[in-house]
């Protein structure tokens, strides 16, 4: 097969002075930061759905993307040709991982049996290409939201047969993910949520969702799949209320249904902002509970209120992400997965390179800046000092559990009024943050 990107050579690191738009200026895979290489910290991953299946269609018009290798058919032959293109792209880019939904890589058949067969046929080629290039599968996932049968959700559908269908699909996807050495398995809520409580049995649906996850955990054990399970929070779109709305909601759900030991979170920037949080908040919240699994790296648009899935280029954002990720000891088996799509107007194949190079450079630079901030330690020192009354005296008594309401009342009656505590110094700290750019 002829190359899909014949004019593109392997993308190389050329350093910050380079003006070559097809080179990395910051992502230098072998550069060591805090004892690990950039490649080990960042574990970049290319998504199959936006990058190789995205057409650029929107509610107002059809696709615009020029993809000369794709004949637009839902045939296994076309799917296999696409695999070769995907691996040529990922190899030239130098990303070590990729991620897919079952239905991105192989066409859905007329029956479940036929879909399984198509998936197996394409998985064989994926395996060959992985072996040829050394590119690995960051995670697999099943698409339980596109087909009309999932209109009411999958695991939370009002129809039991739909639950069964979703289970069959996840069973197969777990088998394929295992066969391809996938390091994680992701559940994004899809249509697991509701539009209206008048037609919804909320408790029953959540009980079903938990049952579904327990079945997945049991089956993974049975077949020896040892990858990390991840849940990807998102608050709205497609349903008005998604059950996995944010990190806190997911962790509460997992804890309530005895699922916490088996899951971590895959946090997505644009989902965090839709939930009214910053990405750093979501990372901190998951990190402090040992649940930081992986990230879907993208960004929204301040002026648009939906999931625009743009490539991340804002260095403040990537620095904040990397500060939180480094603070909580990294993402383990996770990675920086570009769940992002080029704009509808960026229709040429080469735009896929510009987009990923920009995202990788933005994260590499964020990593470098975050590591510099940590080495200087000024923020850490400030925060430590701000809470210093907890290190001894009454603060230490409260933290260690020695104090009670009675001892605290006695303490305050004795002490009298409190003199103003230290300034929060937000403006000074924001200026300090800026010093690194
Ligand atoms: C939706 C998403 C999804 C998930 C994917 C994997 C299509 O907003 O972000 O991308 O990432 O389904 O779980
Ligand atoms: Mg995502
Ligand atoms: Mg998204």
């Amino acid at each position: 097969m002829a190359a899909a990107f014949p004019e593109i050579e392997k993308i190389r690191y050329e350093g910050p002075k380079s003006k070559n738009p097809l080179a990395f200026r910051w992502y230098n895979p072998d550069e060591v930061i805090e004892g690990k290489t950039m490649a080990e910290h960042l574990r970049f991953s290319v998504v199959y759905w936006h990058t190789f299946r995205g057409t650029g269609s929107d509610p107002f018009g059809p696709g615009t993307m020029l993809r000369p290798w794709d004949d637009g058919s839902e045939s296994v032959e076309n799917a296999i040709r696409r695999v070769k293109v995907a691996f040529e792209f990922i190899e030239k880019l130098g990303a070590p991982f990729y991620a897919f939904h079952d239905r991105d890589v192989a066409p859905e058949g007329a029956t479940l049996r036929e879909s399984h067969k198509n998936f197996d046929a394409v998985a064989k080629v994926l395996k060959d290409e992985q072996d040829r290039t050394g590119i690995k599968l960051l995670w697999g996932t099943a698409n339980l939201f596109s087909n009309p049968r999932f209109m009411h959700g999958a695991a939370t559908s009002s129809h039991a047969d739909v639950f069964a269908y979703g289970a069959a699909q996840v069973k197969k996807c777990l088998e394929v993910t295992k066969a391809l050495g996938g390091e994680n398995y992701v559940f994004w809520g899809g249509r697991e949520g509701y539009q209206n409580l008048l037609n919804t049995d909320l408790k029953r649906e959540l009980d079903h969702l938990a049952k579904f996850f327990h079945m997945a955990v049991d089956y993974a054990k049975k077949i020896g799949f040892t990858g990390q399970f991840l849940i990807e929070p998102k608050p709205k779109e497609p349903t008005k209320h998604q059950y996995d709305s944010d990190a806190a909601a997911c962790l509460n759900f997992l804890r309530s249904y005895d699922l916490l030991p088996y899951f971590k979170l895959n946090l997505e920037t644009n989902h965090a902002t839709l939930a009214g949080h910053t990405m750093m908040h979501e990372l901190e919240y998951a990190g402090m509970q040992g649940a930081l699994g992986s990230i879907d790296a993208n960004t929204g648009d301040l002026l648009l209120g939906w999931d625009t899935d743009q490539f991340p280029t804002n260095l403040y954002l990537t620095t904040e992400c990397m500060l939180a990720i480094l603070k909580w000891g990294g993402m383990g088996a996770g990675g920086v997965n570009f769940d992002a799509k080029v704009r509808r107007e960026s229709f040429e194949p080469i735009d896929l390179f510009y987009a990923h190079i920009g995202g990788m450079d933005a994260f590499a630079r964020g990593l470098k800046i975050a590591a510099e901030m940590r080495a200087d330690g000024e923020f850490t020192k400030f925060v430590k000092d701000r809470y210093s009354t907890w290190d001894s005296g009454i603060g230490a008594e409260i933290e260690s559990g020695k104090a009670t309401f009675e001892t605290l009342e006695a303490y305050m009656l004795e002490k009298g009024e409190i003199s103003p505590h230290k300034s929060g110094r937000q403006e000074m700290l924001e200026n300090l943050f800026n010093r690194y750019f």
Side-chain angles (χ1 to χ4, degrees):
M1 195 180 124
F5 311 98
E7 75 287 11
I8 309 277
E9 288 167 27
K10 174 130 179 102
I11 307 300
R12 268 186 280 270
Y13 171 70
E14 293 184 3
K17 293 223 167 70
S18 172
K19 291 193 172 147
N20 177 2
L22 289 168
F24 295 118
R25 297 168 65 240
W26 301 96
Y27 180 56
N28 183 10
D30 300 323
E31 187 174 329
V32 175
I33 290 170
E34 294 196 13
K36 285 200 293 188
T37 64
M38 277 197 178
E40 289 165 340
H41 276 288
L42 296 165
R43 296 165 58 86
F44 286 123
S45 164
V46 172
V47 305
Y48 218 91
W49 52 100
H50 290 311
T51 299
F52 306 111
R53 303 307 311 272
T55 63
S57 67
D58 72 8
F60 304 95
T64 56
M65 296 297 155
L66 204 66
R67 303 288 183 255
W69 55 84
D70 200 309
D71 66 16
S73 75
E74 283 296 324
S75 67
V76 171
E77 198 190 20
N78 194 27
I80 287 175
R81 203 166 38 240
R82 219 184 270 125
V83 173
K84 309 259 168 81
V85 174
F87 278 79
E88 181 192 334
F89 175 82
I90 303 168
E91 198 179 17
K92 285 183 168 170
L93 182 67
F97 292 98
Y98 74 112
F100 65 66
H101 301 81
D102 49 1
R103 304 302 181 238
D104 304 331
V105 288
E108 179 151 14
T111 62
L112 180 63
R113 203 179 301 280
E114 202 185 301
S115 298
H116 282 1
K117 202 171 133 233
N118 292 348
F119 197 12
D120 281 334
V122 179
K124 203 175 152 296
V125 187
L126 289 167
K127 177 82 172 65
D128 291 345
E129 287 294 289
Q130 286 185 203
D131 291 346
R132 182 182 68 76
T133 59
I135 292 162
K136 296 191 278 187
L137 180 60
L138 187 67
W139 47 263
T141 190
N143 179 329
L144 305 181
F145 45 89
S146 294
N147 190 291
R149 81 173 68 84
F150 298 119
M151 68 171 81
H152 304 288
T156 65
S157 174
S158 41
H159 190 343
D161 281 358
V162 178
F163 181 107
Y165 202 105
Q169 222 178 298
V170 170
K171 173 180 177 289
K172 180 70 186 172
C173 197
L174 275 170
E175 292 161 8
V176 172
T177 301
K178 176 179 186 270
L180 295 176
E183 301 196 12
N184 304 269
Y185 187 91
V186 166
F187 292 93
W188 164 59
R191 294 179 197 275
E192 316 291 21
Y194 64 80
Q195 305 287 16
N196 195 312
L197 280 176
L198 295 177
N199 65 12
T200 301
D201 188 333
L202 186 78
K203 174 160 190 321
R204 207 165 182 185
E205 292 201 358
L206 286 171
D207 288 349
H208 294 166
L209 187 57
K211 205 151 241 129
F212 195 89
F213 287 144
H214 274 292
M215 287 182 192
V217 168
D218 290 346
Y219 191 64
K221 263 190 208 145
K222 182 160 186 198
I223 63 171
F225 173 69
T226 54
Q228 175 66 51
F229 278 122
L230 300 170
I231 292 192
E232 180 176 326
K234 183 177 184 182
K236 51 192 162 193
E237 204 196 26
T239 73
K240 178 172 76 175
H241 178 92
Q242 298 277 126
Y243 290 137
D244 301 329
S245 54
D246 64 2
C250 288
L251 290 169
N252 178 57
F253 169 83
L254 291 168
R255 196 171 276 120
S256 316
Y257 287 98
D258 299 321
L259 286 160
L260 200 54
Y262 313 108
F263 284 81
K264 289 186 178 181
L265 301 180
N266 179 40
L267 298 164
E268 177 166 323
T269 325
N270 207 162
H271 298 177
T273 47
L274 287 175
H277 304 306
T278 61
M279 180 63 162
M280 199 179 187
H281 167 89
E282 290 290 85
L283 290 165
E284 282 285 322
Y285 201 91
M288 75 181 189
Q289 305 194 50
L292 178 48
S294 196
I295 66 170
D296 269 8
N298 61 21
T299 190
D301 186 306
L302 278 181
L303 303 182
L304 302 173
W306 65 90
D307 196 15
T308 57
D309 284 342
Q310 286 163 237
F311 276 85
T313 53
N314 183 325
L315 301 179
Y316 269 55
L317 172 67
T318 57
T319 301
E320 286 180 359
C321 289
M322 292 317 301
L323 269 178
I325 290 168
L326 291 173
K327 174 174 170 186
W328 296 109
M331 295 181 287
V336 176
N337 179 53
F338 290 111
D339 189 358
K341 57 186 179 231
V342 290
R343 299 302 88 190
R344 189 168 189 268
E345 303 81 2
S346 307
F347 62 91
E348 294 179 3
I350 198 170
D351 291 308
L352 295 172
F353 279 96
Y354 295 136
H356 284 85
I357 291 169
M360 288 163 82
D361 257 353
F363 263 88
R365 195 160 177 201
L367 167 62
K368 290 191 78 148
I369 297 171
E372 248 185 88
M373 289 174 174
R374 283 160 55 83
D376 291 347
E378 291 194 53
F379 292 107
T380 319
K381 191 171 159 292
F382 184 90
V383 174
K384 175 133 187 40
D385 185 55
R386 186 165 185 233
Y387 292 85
S388 58
T389 59
W390 295 89
D391 295 335
S392 58
I394 198 76
E397 277 175 35
I398 297 171
E399 282 197 351
S400 67
K402 276 198 206 115
T404 64
F405 268 13
E406 289 104 313
T407 65
L408 294 177
E409 184 192 42
Y411 171 78
M412 280 323 300
L413 286 172
E414 167 77 16
K415 183 151 189 185
E417 208 25 79
I418 304 166
S419 51
H421 193 53
K422 300 166 197 293
S423 163
R425 295 263 189 272
Q426 179 172 326
E427 299 76 9
M428 185 205 78
L429 293 169
E430 286 168 346
N431 298 348
L432 170 59
F433 200 87
N434 272 354
R435 219 171 67 195
Y436 290 84
F437 289 81

